[in-house]
Amino acid sequence: MKQGVLAASGAWVARYQVRQNFNKYWYYKLQVPIPYFQCTTLDKLSKYKHLAKAGTQEHIDAVMSVVRRSLCDEIQSIIHTLDDCLLDISSRSEQESEEPPD
């Protein structure tokens, strides 16, 4: 998190094509499953944020924020798994200590 902004949970960068006067242009947008981004013209939220062309600073920042979010989510998942393992180990040791010796 100290390395930069985290993207919203479930966010991804999508590429889309615009055709204009027999030319094709590729642009990128940051998308989320539920409205999250503030619209610039209206007082409502949007599911996407335009990022312009590939290689722009806004595009690079968005890609890196999605990468950071993925890493953070994966680390959280690992922490939860380790917590569950620790609980399993501690509950087994309690059960073993409660059994009477033979």
Side-chain angles (χ1 to χ4, degrees):
M1 290 164 119
K2 291 180 182 179
Q3 294 177 355
V5 176
L6 290 178
S9 185
W12 69 96
V13 175
R15 184 174 83 155
Y16 64 98
Q17 185 183 71
V18 175
R19 293 178 187 221
Q20 190 176 33
N21 298 332
F22 304 106
N23 292 322
K24 294 178 187 177
Y25 301 97
W26 291 99
Y27 295 101
Y28 292 83
K29 59 185 171 180
L30 183 60
Q31 284 192 240
V32 290
I34 58 171
Y36 175 80
F37 302 106
Q38 184 65 46
C39 292
T40 55
T41 57
L42 303 171
D43 287 336
K44 67 177 191 171
L45 298 177
S46 174
K47 289 184 180 183
Y48 58 91
K49 177 182 178 183
H50 292 284
L51 302 174
K53 298 189 299 184
T56 61
Q57 191 60 48
E58 195 170 12
H59 174 250
I60 293 168
D61 291 345
V63 169
M64 292 308 298
S65 71
V66 171
V67 169
R68 283 190 290 273
R69 168 56 73 184
S70 297
L71 289 172
C72 185
D73 289 348
E74 190 63 32
I75 290 169
Q76 286 293 355
S77 175
I78 291 168
I79 290 170
H80 290 306
T81 301
L82 290 172
D83 283 343
D84 289 344
C85 290
L86 183 60
L87 286 173
D88 288 346
I89 291 169
S90 65
S91 67
R92 276 193 225 139
S93 67
E94 287 175 5
Q95 289 175 354
E96 289 175 4
S97 65
E98 290 176 3
E99 293 178 7
D102 290 336

